[in-house]
Amino acid sequence: MFPLQGAQMLQTLEKSLIKSLPASLKVYGTVFHMNQGNPFKLKALVDKWPDFNTVVVRPQEQDMKDDLDHYTNTYQIYSKDPKNCQEFLGTTEVIDWKQHLQIQSSQSSLNEAIQSLAAIKSFKVKHAQNILFMTSDTVEKLVPSLLDAKNLSPSGGKPKAIDEEMFKISSLETTHAALVNKFWHFGGNERSQRFIERCIQNFPSCCLLGPEGTPVSWTLMDQTGEMRMGGTVPDYRVKGLVSYVIHIQGQKMRKLGFPIYSHTEKSNEAMQKMSYTLHHITMPCDWNQWSCVPL
Ligand SMILES: CC(C)(COP(=O)(O)OP(=O)(O)OC[C@H]1O[C@@H](n2cnc3c(N)ncnc32)[C@H](O)[C@@H]1OP(=O)(O)O)[C@@H](O)C(=O)NCCC(=O)NCCS
């Protein structure tokens, strides 16, 4: 196990991960933001350097004090050799399998190693496998071969107009975390609310304030650079609001030079329609999350 220390190593890692996109997307996005100030104080571990096979990005041990907080205890993994990364992932210094934790990756091929480790280390694992999207301008910049195949304009699609008298564009405040948490599929508890607050504090977000001056539609970004946790309150759905908010958030992130990507469940028709309207491009790999609970 080799911890990457200093700006130069992390920049070298970022450049190297670009060559493996989109399979490395989740780790690439995380390392990109580690190189932009690293607000979540994450660290990157590799099996060897500079010619690494597997990279794991994780929080520092001192930030993982709550064994039950899988929102904090989250690991991002990319491996050039998913069939042979089990030994590295099984090392206690790399992953603390005694805690409740999450593994995120754009490689579903890690499933085999994780399932084998579940039997060896004695934990229960639940695998979520969703559709992974990248905006067309990010694809053009990072993986142009995928854009050629789709024949889409990199400037992206436009959302429908909204009633600008009724809805005002704004950013989320930490006091809005409870509302976001209420509608987040993976959230709904105190720990997820704290995680949302941390995301709102550290990264750009976007919302529309309704006539009462409170958010009616929103989206935000997590520590992996992914646009996530979008929602619209029930009374204001099917008015084009989330499509508009995601379009504006995309413009904000683009101005900052951030890569832009997102995921959606295969059953979430609305979010898929929104992605096609905005010309987000479906990746040939998936968004994966393994939730692991010790037995
Ligand atoms: C999914 C959700 C965010 C959609 O918000 P919204 O503001 O109603 O979305 P929009 O009005 O921008 O609609 C986007 C597209 O989906 C369609 N749509 C909206 N709700 C739909 C539904 N329930 N079923 C099918 N299509 C739907 C719209 O017609 C639109 O399609 P079009 O562009 O082809 O006309 C909202 O329903 C929600 O908050 N759901 C619960 C939380 C959730 O699923 N969040 C996303 C994943 S984290």
Side-chain angles (χ1 to χ4, degrees):
M1 191 268 287
F2 193 88
L4 297 188
Q5 266 142 3
Q8 209 176 345
M9 277 183 170
L10 281 175
Q11 276 156 16
T12 306
L13 177 64
E14 183 184 323
K15 282 196 195 117
S16 162
L17 289 166
I18 290 179
K19 294 182 203 141
S20 308
L21 286 169
S24 62
L25 183 55
K26 200 67 190 164
V27 174
Y28 167 75
T30 314
V31 172
F32 179 94
H33 288 282
M34 289 170 77
N35 284 327
Q36 299 271 321
N38 197 9
F40 272 45
K41 298 186 182 68
L42 304 174
K43 61 178 183 177
L45 309 173
V46 287
D47 51 353
K48 50 191 177 144
W49 186 255
D51 189 20
F52 67 91
N53 268 332
T54 303
V55 50
V56 174
V57 179
R58 54 166 288 170
Q60 312 274 346
E61 284 77 1
Q62 62 266 29
D63 294 328
M64 300 171 87
K65 293 263 163 63
D66 181 354
D67 286 343
L68 304 180
D69 184 358
H70 59 267
Y71 301 96
T72 301
N73 308 335
T74 294
Y75 299 77
Q76 282 80 33
I77 303 179
Y78 167 68
S79 182
K80 291 177 191 166
D81 191 4
K83 293 222 176 304
N84 292 303
C85 65
Q86 189 179 318
E87 195 184 331
F88 179 60
L89 301 185
T91 318
T92 314
E93 294 76 40
V94 177
I95 297 181
D96 183 355
W97 295 106
K98 294 205 173 66
Q99 294 189 311
H100 288 224
L101 62 92
Q102 282 172 178
I103 292 172
Q104 298 175 341
S105 175
S106 324
Q107 292 176 291
S108 48
S109 51
L110 288 174
N111 190 48
E112 218 173 292
I114 294 169
Q115 298 293 348
S116 302
L117 284 162
I120 298 165
K121 305 268 179 190
S122 226
F123 60 87
K124 192 175 75 182
V125 50
K126 196 170 145 204
H127 182 190
Q129 194 173 12
N130 293 340
I131 307 170
L132 184 62
F133 289 98
M134 227 193 257
T135 58
S136 43
D137 61 303
T138 299
V139 172
E140 188 196 30
K141 199 162 144 189
L142 298 175
V143 219
S145 58
L146 291 178
L147 189 68
D148 294 347
K150 296 277 171 193
N151 204 18
L152 281 177
S153 128
S155 57
K158 299 265 181 295
K160 288 184 206 128
I162 58 156
D163 182 346
E164 291 185 25
E165 286 295 306
M166 190 184 281
F167 304 109
K168 300 284 172 231
I169 200 83
S170 187
S171 298
L172 290 167
E173 311 274 338
T174 47
T175 50
H176 300 142
L179 178 66
V180 174
N181 193 31
K182 187 172 158 191
F183 292 100
W184 184 30
H185 174 68
F186 290 111
N189 57 68
E190 269 177 45
R191 291 182 175 92
S192 58
Q193 187 166 323
R194 278 203 298 274
F195 171 71
I196 293 167
E197 279 169 13
R198 215 174 157 201
C199 291
I200 294 173
Q201 266 163 3
N202 286 292
F203 299 112
S205 62
C206 187
C207 68
L208 282 168
L209 302 176
E212 292 84 25
T214 52
V216 292
S217 189
W218 56 84
T219 187
L220 55 156
M221 200 189 110
D222 72 6
Q223 79 280 21
T224 73
E226 187 183 334
M227 213 195 282
R228 293 189 77 182
M229 300 177 246
T232 299
V233 294
D235 285 353
Y236 291 97
R237 286 182 186 165
V238 206
K239 294 181 186 302
L241 300 191
V242 100
S243 307
Y244 190 84
V245 157
I246 287 175
H247 176 67
I248 300 291
Q249 171 81 347
Q251 287 181 334
K252 243 190 219 187
M253 291 170 72
R254 198 166 300 126
K255 262 195 199 142
L256 293 163
F258 294 176
I260 312 168
Y261 69 104
S262 62
H263 77 268
T264 189
E265 270 184 80
K266 288 170 189 156
S267 60
N268 198 330
E269 238 182 273
M271 292 309 266
Q272 285 172 58
K273 280 187 189 165
M274 175 282 299
S275 297
Y276 298 131
T277 299
L278 299 183
H279 291 183
H280 295 179
I281 295 175
T282 316
M283 292 295 104
C285 53
D286 311 302
W287 180 95
N288 295 274
Q289 181 168 277
W290 291 267
S291 303
C292 305
V293 175
L295 292 169

